[in-house]
Amino acid sequence: MDIREATPADAANLVAYLKALVAEPGICIPLTPDEVVSVEQEKAMLADFSQSPRALMLVALAEGQLVGELSLKAISPRKSIAHVATLGMSVKSDFRRKGVGRELLAAAVQWAPSAGIKRIELYVYARNEPAIKLYEAAGFTHEGRRRGFIREDDAYLDDLVMSRWLD
């Protein structure tokens, strides 16, 4: 498996990956199929990430196929909270529970201090037990529950706030 920083050249593959991901029944991503951005919009976002010293977008590739992605971005340039970043991650269904997420997380945690990031926070569907266990194993702790935060059709679902402090 190859974990590397995403570039604008990955835009079309990322858009196709996201379209397939959001079509999965019961997927735990707060994104609907009609909200997946265009290739041009994805290219612009990837360019922004690659130009920011406080943002990272990683892709995981297996035999040249995109099987996972992770974004880590500082939440603000304000001095009082410049040390905090938000993490988002997904892994293709065929590759879940095979170490892809663990490798993506490890790469992000290793990179974060070089950007002045001391605290990484994330939000995870409360029903997504495999992801919660992965985050716990990677040193993330529970900080709270946002009740009814995610709307899925006519249901309102809880998500959890988790974080990890980096030494």
Side-chain angles (χ1 to χ4, degrees):
M1 175 155 8
D2 181 32
I3 305 289
R4 65 166 174 77
E5 194 166 341
T7 69
D10 293 309
N13 284 338
L14 276 164
V15 169
Y17 166 84
L18 287 171
K19 284 182 179 181
L21 199 67
V22 299
E24 289 181 24
I27 189 66
C28 293
I29 295 176
L31 183 69
T32 61
D34 63 326
E35 294 173 320
V36 175
V37 299
S38 70
V39 172
E40 289 306 313
Q41 290 169 311
E42 186 73 18
K43 277 184 186 176
M45 186 196 73
L46 290 169
D48 287 346
F49 265 79
S50 67
Q51 293 171 9
S52 172
R54 301 185 32 76
L56 176 70
M57 179 76 167
L58 297 173
V59 290
L61 303 162
E63 298 178 16
Q65 177 187 9
L66 198 150
V67 298
E69 57 80 31
L70 178 146
S71 64
L72 182 65
K73 188 172 186 179
I75 63 170
S76 174
R78 293 189 334 221
K79 291 178 184 176
S80 61
I81 55 175
H83 64 286
V84 181
T86 303
L87 181 141
M89 181 174 70
S90 66
V91 175
K92 188 176 179 181
S93 62
D94 303 2
F95 288 84
R96 292 182 193 136
R97 297 177 194 89
K98 295 183 179 178
V100 176
R102 184 174 55 247
E103 287 189 40
L104 284 165
L105 279 173
V109 166
Q110 182 179 5
W111 172 86
S114 71
I117 294 166
K118 294 284 204 177
R119 173 190 159 85
I120 298 174
E121 60 185 37
L122 59 86
Y123 315 103
V124 57
Y125 280 52
R127 72 180 184 205
N128 193 348
E129 290 185 29
I132 293 165
K133 288 180 182 181
L134 170 66
Y135 298 137
E136 289 170 342
F140 286 80
T141 59
H142 294 260
E143 292 194 339
R145 175 181 291 263
R146 300 188 300 180
R147 298 197 183 280
F149 188 78
I150 302 156
R151 182 176 178 193
E152 187 176 86
D153 298 320
D154 291 330
Y156 291 87
L157 309 173
D158 295 356
D159 78 350
L160 305 178
V161 179
M162 298 179 77
S163 75
R164 177 175 169 181
W165 184 260
L166 307 176
D167 295 325

